[in-house]
Amino acid sequence: MDILHTLSALRHRLAQEPAVALVPTMGNLHDGHIDLVRRVQSHAPCVVTSIFVNRLQFGPQEDFSRYPRTLEEDCARLKQAGCAVVFAPPENEMYPEPQTVTVDPSPLQDELEGAIRPGHFRGVATVVLKLFHMVQPQVAIFGKKDYQQTLILRTMVRQLALPVTLLAAETVRAPDGLALSSRNRYLSPAERQRAPELHQALKAVAEALKQGKTPQESLERGQLDPTCWRTDYMTVRRAQDLGAPTPEDRSLVVLGAARLGSTRLIDNLEVSR
């Protein structure tokens, strides 16, 4: 496995590859990331995993400075998983000058996560488009835990006619249902015990929807304990575009984001009714 830090080295390494798959990450890898690497191997002979903590997608009060950087450990896991190339550029390689040219995504960027984290999806779309130009993959894969992000990136790929097939993989969970996330390591032992309650709340809403309850009736089944949790949102949306569901819509998604202590968790469940 090659570990590369510059664009020139990356392009030299990939020049003769017939097909490339990209797994964009911010590092601090968990089993969900490794699952993405293994899943995408059947789509291209050369898998590139990028590791870059992208300042542009963090708000001024968010955890950019304390986001875990674990490159050596990450590379060991990626090598074992069969990754061909790790692209881990320093910030001055990814952004050699102030990034004044940015991607303004679809209006969906201002809802849900975007309403809580203004500018977040602009930063995500900008770095992903830049990685697409750097790596020039035929395929890229993302996890469904970031459901809204995946829809926004699909729209970007479609409307900009990018020559990339975007795949979405199912969320990888711990045995108790907690969606794997790099931020889970911020949880105290007591918080980690409570953390699966978010997934349980989503399941309760999903089950009510399957029983024929309306979205509003269903959401009443998914209340989190306000003495422990600060809920940013819990909502039912149309799966295809996150629009408001109608009674005729059969493919839905339940999305939730809440803070447990100082740690913010997000999760979702797709529902067919």
Side-chain angles (χ1 to χ4, degrees):
M1 185 181 75
D2 296 311
I3 304 171
L4 308 175
H5 302 284
T6 67
L7 177 57
S8 59
L10 177 71
R11 286 182 169 164
H12 178 76
R13 168 63 180 80
L14 299 180
Q16 303 304 317
E17 291 290 347
V20 174
L22 174 63
V23 184
T25 82
M26 291 204 300
N28 191 224
L29 304 184
H30 51 67
D31 287 348
H33 295 113
I34 301 305
D35 179 68
L36 296 179
V37 172
R38 291 187 169 131
R39 283 178 181 272
V40 84
Q41 286 172 354
S42 63
H43 294 269
C46 178
V47 175
V48 177
T49 300
S50 63
I51 296 178
F52 179 69
V53 184
N54 178 39
R55 185 187 298 270
L56 295 187
Q57 68 192 69
F58 287 79
Q61 305 303 317
E62 294 184 332
D63 58 348
F64 173 78
S65 61
R66 74 182 185 117
Y67 193 90
R69 276 82 165 169
T70 54
L71 181 60
E72 185 175 346
E73 177 184 334
D74 293 343
C75 288
R77 296 200 67 183
L78 289 169
K79 183 176 181 179
Q80 187 174 23
C83 181
V85 176
V86 173
F87 180 48
E91 190 163 9
N92 62 3
E93 181 72 15
M94 181 65 76
Y95 301 126
E97 59 184 272
Q99 189 72 29
T100 57
V101 177
T102 58
V103 178
D104 192 27
S106 70
L108 185 56
Q109 69 170 309
D110 297 320
E111 300 184 39
L112 302 174
E113 283 298 289
I116 303 297
R117 307 177 66 188
H120 169 70
F121 289 118
R122 183 179 299 110
V124 170
T126 299
V127 76
V128 169
L129 182 60
K130 196 159 189 178
L131 285 167
F132 284 174
H133 285 303
M134 289 175 156
V135 179
Q136 298 183 26
Q138 286 69 48
V139 180
I141 191 168
F142 297 84
K144 283 188 178 181
K145 182 177 75 70
D146 298 297
Y147 195 95
Q148 184 179 6
Q149 171 182 284
T150 300
L151 289 187
I152 287 172
L153 294 177
R154 282 195 189 283
T155 301
M156 180 183 77
V157 166
R158 184 177 66 252
Q159 293 195 3
L160 296 181
L162 300 177
V164 182
T165 298
L166 197 153
L167 305 177
E170 297 298 328
T171 301
V172 177
R173 301 181 180 278
D176 59 8
L178 177 65
L180 299 189
S181 169
S182 297
R183 289 184 169 91
N184 289 352
R185 68 166 52 195
Y186 297 156
L187 296 166
S188 70
E191 290 167 348
R192 177 61 186 83
Q193 290 270 315
R194 299 206 70 125
E197 292 173 4
L198 176 58
H199 179 56
Q200 292 161 9
L202 296 176
K203 286 176 65 177
V205 176
E207 187 58 36
L209 289 168
K210 291 176 183 177
Q211 293 170 359
K213 302 293 185 182
T214 67
Q216 188 55 48
E217 291 170 334
S218 301
L219 287 168
E220 293 173 1
R221 305 272 187 94
Q223 301 293 321
L224 292 165
D225 184 348
T227 65
C228 302
W229 293 86
R230 289 175 294 154
T231 301
D232 285 342
Y233 59 81
M234 183 83 71
T235 186
V236 177
R237 296 293 181 96
R238 192 165 52 222
Q240 66 190 47
D241 58 7
L242 294 188
T246 68
E248 292 73 32
D249 288 316
R250 293 292 173 258
S251 296
L252 306 175
V253 60
V254 188
L255 305 105
R259 300 171 191 270
L260 185 59
S262 62
T263 304
R264 187 170 184 273
L265 303 176
I266 68 171
D267 201 354
N268 64 80
L269 280 179
E270 293 176 278
V271 183
S272 296
R273 61 175 181 172

